């Protein structure tokens, strides 16, 4: 039996990775690992409130491993804190760390390198090609995943997409150059319902602001 700690961004890909991993009888997901900006108390990049991530973990019936990161955070600071978490995971008998990465080879290689010699192996349950992400997005929606866009990169996607539901209408409206799963950083999401949860997480969209080169929509408990 593989004991797996899942890297949890609060978005649709990590949520779908949880669903996929739970289909394997020889895998047990034992926790969700999330890094938080310790100044803002929000998920880095997705800017999701900690309380909403805690609600996700409760709905998934899994403990949340919180990793506070300084802001600004250097790569050295990030790696030092992650090494401590991985050492804890190994001590607790965790054999694998899973990621919701789809097709970015450089990201995958970084994960592998970070875990090398740690005693914890990487897993990539959603790994596919860029040509396969349209089908993956449709499968997520068909099987009940629901999410909302919390962050948009205006260099790749219009501001008006921030705060929109991740649904068939959004997929149809995306420019051809934008990956349907946002794998190149075009957008980030918060997953509030799906087969990985035992209940829907009620949220409402607040203000959309421009900060640090991105548009962020603030989600609040409904």
């Amino acid at each position: 039996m593989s004991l797996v700690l899942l890297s949890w961004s609060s978005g649709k890909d990590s949520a779908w990775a949880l669903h996929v991993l739970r289909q394997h009888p020889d895998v047990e997901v034992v926790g969700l690992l999330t890094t938080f900006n310790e100044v803002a108390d929000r998920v880095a990049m997705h800017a999701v409130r900690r309380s909403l991530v805690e609600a996700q973990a409760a709905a998934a019936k899994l403990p949340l491993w919180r990793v506070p990161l300084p802001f600004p955070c250097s790569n050295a600071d990030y790696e030092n804190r992650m090494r401590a978490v991985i050492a804890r995971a190994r001590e607790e008998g965790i054999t694998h760390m899973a990621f919701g990465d789809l097709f970015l080879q450089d990201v995958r290689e970084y994960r592998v390198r970070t875990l090398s010699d740690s005693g914890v192996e990487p897993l990539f349950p959603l790994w596919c090609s860029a040509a396969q992400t349209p089908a993956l997005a449709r499968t997520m929606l068909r099987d009940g995943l629901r999410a909302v866009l919390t962050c948009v990169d205006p260099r790749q996607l219009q501001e008006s997409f921030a705060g929109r539901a991740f649904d068939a209408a959004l997929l149809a409206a995306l420019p051809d150059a934008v990956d349907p799963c946002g794998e190149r950083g075009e957008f980030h999401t918060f997953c509030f319902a799906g087969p990985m949860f035992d209940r829907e997480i009620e949220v409402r969209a607040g203000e959309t602001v421009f900060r640090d080169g991105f548009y962020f929509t603030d989600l609040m408990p409904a």
Side-chain angles (χ1 to χ4, degrees):
M1 175 68 71
S2 298
L3 300 183
V4 178
L5 183 63
L6 173 60
S7 178
W8 186 263
S9 69
S10 79
K12 60 177 175 44
D13 296 338
S14 53
W16 195 248
L18 174 58
H19 177 58
V20 169
L21 286 167
R22 282 176 163 169
Q23 310 312 302
H24 295 276
D26 58 342
V27 168
E28 181 184 356
V29 180
V30 296
L32 308 177
L33 185 151
T34 304
T35 57
F36 290 93
N37 175 325
E38 63 185 3
V39 175
D41 204 23
R42 293 175 182 251
V43 181
M45 202 65 247
H46 292 236
V48 171
R49 297 166 185 257
R50 179 168 54 86
S51 61
L52 292 179
V53 182
E54 290 170 345
Q56 288 179 318
K61 296 187 177 300
L62 288 170
L64 180 64
W65 290 40
R66 304 171 189 84
V67 182
L69 297 177
F71 182 80
C73 183
S74 68
N75 197 53
D77 284 336
Y78 172 80
E79 292 186 350
N80 285 337
R81 297 203 182 192
M82 288 302 298
R83 271 194 292 271
V85 172
I86 293 165
R88 173 193 162 193
R90 186 69 187 118
E91 289 171 2
E92 295 191 15
I94 289 170
T95 59
H96 294 79
M97 187 165 178
F99 303 91
D101 301 312
L102 303 183
F103 61 76
L104 296 179
Q105 188 63 38
D106 58 336
V107 174
R108 179 176 177 135
E109 289 171 358
Y110 176 78
R111 312 283 199 205
V112 171
R113 192 164 60 249
T114 299
L115 289 172
S116 64
D117 302 322
S118 70
V120 176
E121 296 293 323
L123 278 180
F124 301 92
L126 305 186
W127 193 255
C128 60
S129 70
Q132 293 172 304
T133 57
L136 176 61
R138 292 192 297 269
T139 298
M140 291 178 182
L141 296 177
R142 181 199 67 202
D143 290 354
L145 180 143
R146 299 176 67 194
V148 60
L149 274 63
T150 62
C151 174
V152 164
D153 181 351
R155 295 166 297 181
Q156 305 184 73
L157 197 58
Q158 292 176 331
E159 171 194 355
S160 59
F161 282 87
R164 282 188 59 169
F166 179 76
D167 56 16
L170 179 128
L171 296 181
L174 290 175
D176 291 342
V178 171
D179 180 72
C181 290
E183 180 66 355
R184 300 184 184 91
E186 299 98 328
F187 60 87
H188 299 284
T189 61
F190 174 81
C191 180
F192 61 88
M196 67 294 300
F197 297 141
D198 69 358
R199 59 187 177 275
E200 181 175 331
I201 298 149
E202 301 285 346
V203 295
R204 60 185 177 89
E207 182 182 12
T208 296
V209 299
F210 183 74
R211 184 178 65 252
D212 301 326
F214 298 87
Y215 284 99
F216 294 93
T217 296
D218 189 18
L219 293 185
M220 293 167 284

